[in-house]
Each structure stands twice: as structure tokens, then as C-alpha cells.
């Protein structure tokens, strides 16, 4: 059994979720098959389109823009790719065929995950630290995050106000006032 390829998406019918995927046409010029499953049952039908790839492209576009909708009625699934258009009826597959489809889907998804993990691993090995590549003279000067050094810029402590008559040299000590208004501190 050929593994699924092409678009893969999640559809909803009320609160239930379904996986929608496609299997390419077995022969050039024949139609591809679309499958919908809830992991218990599988519904399948042929995609139309002239040429055959048009049906797959239309399914991919509908899944990407969220325009595909699904409805279940009387043991069949109705897949609508565009609003206002006629739905594609997908009959339920027999249990043995559904089991084979689910197995193929599971292993195809596992292969995709492994492929993506390998790609990420290669990208991780190729990535570099920008700090190591930039010469010291070109590095931007960043403010020191130490709160002790940045008290003036946004300090959490309120600024203490000078009380009239208080000494600037010895805070908290009141100086004597003279009649001329000039303050002298005791020595």
C-alpha cells in the first residue's frame, strides 16, 4: 500500500476532529484519492479535476485557507472544498481496508516527523552564535543590568527631599539660621 502524500489537514465536524489526507493517483491521468479519518473509521473518495493534479491542488488550497468543511451523514462523509459548491461524498471503507489505511497513515506521519527532526538537527549543527562571529569593536554597548549601578535611571527608592534648614554636608542635621538668611553649620 502506497504511503499518503500531498496535503494533510485537520477538519472539524462539531466537536469532533478528523484528519484529511490524500494519496496520489496510481496511474497518470487518473484521479487521486482523498481520505478522512477519526482514527476509528476511514472515509474515502476520488478527487476530480482536469488534469488529475487539479483536485489535489484544490484540496491543498482549501485546507490551507481553512475553507474545507466536513459533515457526516448516514455512514458517509461529505467533504466540501468551497462554500456553495457541491460536496464530495466519501463512503465509509470496510474495516479491513480502513485498518490498512490507518497503518499506512501512521507510518507516513512517523516518516515525516523523523525527516523533520533530521532537518532540524542539520540546521542546529549549521547554526552559529552571532556573538562569536561579531568582532568586539562592532558589538553594541548594552546598559549594565545591575540594579546598583542604575539607581539614577528608574530607581525603586524615592528621592529624599531637602528640608529647609537641613545641612547638605551632614544630612539630618539642622543648621542654625542667621538673620541675613545665610545658614551656617556648627563646627
Amino acid at each position: 500500500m502506497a504511503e499518503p502524500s500531498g496535503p494533510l489537514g485537520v477538519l472539524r465536524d462539531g466537536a469532533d476532529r478528523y484528519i484529511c489526507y490524500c494519496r496520489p493517483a496510481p496511474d497518470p491521468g487518473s484521479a487521486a484519492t482523498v481520505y478522512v479519518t477519526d482514527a476509528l473509521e476511514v472515509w474515502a473518495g476520488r478527487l476530480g479535476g482536469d488534469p488529475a493534479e487539479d483536485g489535489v491542488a484544490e484540496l491543498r488550497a482549501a485546507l490551507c485557507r481553512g475553507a474545507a468543511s466536513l459533515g457526516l451523514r448516514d455512514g458517509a462523509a461529505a467533504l466540501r472544498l468551497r462554500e456553495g459548491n457541491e460536496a464530495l461524498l466519501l463512503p465509509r471503507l470496510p474495516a479491513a481496508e480502513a485498518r490498512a489505511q490507518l497503518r499506512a497513515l501512521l507510518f507516513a506521519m512517523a516518516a515525516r516527523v523523523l525527516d523533520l527532526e533530521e532537518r532540524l538537527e542539520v540546521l542546529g549543527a549549521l547554526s552559529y552564535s552571532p556573538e562569536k562571529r561579531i568582532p568586539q569593536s562592532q558589538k553594541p554597548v548594552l546598559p549594565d543590568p545591575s540594579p546598583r549601578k542604575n539607581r539614577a535611571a528608574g530607581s525603586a527608592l524615592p528621592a529624599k527631599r531637602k528640608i529647609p534648614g537641613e545641612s547638605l554636608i551632614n544630612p539630618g542635621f539642622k543648621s542654625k539660621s542667621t538673620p541675613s538668611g545665610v545658614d551656617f553649620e556648627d563646627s
Side-chain angles (χ1 to χ4, degrees):
M1 179 147 308
E3 289 187 352
S5 64
L8 180 72
V10 176
L11 299 173
R12 292 189 177 273
D13 180 34
D16 298 326
R17 295 184 308 176
Y18 299 85
I19 296 174
C20 179
Y21 62 99
C22 189
R23 175 153 304 138
D27 303 316
S30 63
T33 306
V34 63
Y35 296 90
V36 174
T37 181
D38 62 356
L40 297 174
E41 296 180 286
V42 179
W43 296 267
R46 298 272 180 206
L47 279 173
D50 191 28
E53 278 301 309
D54 284 352
V56 175
E58 185 178 3
L59 176 64
R60 178 177 283 118
L63 288 172
C64 286
R65 66 177 190 271
S69 62
L70 184 71
L72 296 175
R73 288 183 225 107
D74 304 324
L79 178 63
R80 189 177 310 277
L81 299 181
R82 283 184 264 155
E83 286 189 32
N85 279 10
E86 200 171 303
L88 177 64
L89 292 177
L90 310 173
R92 186 179 342 183
L93 294 179
E97 191 176 344
R99 198 169 26 254
Q101 287 298 327
L102 287 172
R103 173 182 250 165
L105 175 63
L106 175 69
F107 285 110
M109 291 172 77
R112 284 185 181 185
V113 168
L114 290 173
D115 181 50
L116 288 173
E117 285 178 345
E118 287 173 2
R119 287 182 189 182
L120 286 173
E121 205 172 286
V122 167
L123 287 174
L126 294 177
S127 70
Y128 62 92
S129 172
E131 290 183 9
K132 292 179 183 176
R133 303 277 179 159
I134 299 173
Q136 184 69 26
S137 62
Q138 294 179 359
K139 286 187 181 179
V141 178
L142 300 174
D144 187 4
S146 170
R148 291 186 319 224
K149 293 182 181 179
N150 291 332
R151 286 205 193 255
S155 174
L157 300 174
K160 185 176 177 188
R161 302 186 83 194
K162 182 182 175 290
I163 300 171
E166 185 178 36
S167 169
L168 292 174
I169 298 170
N170 190 5
F173 181 78
K174 287 232 177 190
S175 61
K176 296 180 185 171
S177 294
T178 59
S180 64
V182 177
D183 291 341
F184 293 101
E185 295 182 23
D186 287 337
S187 342

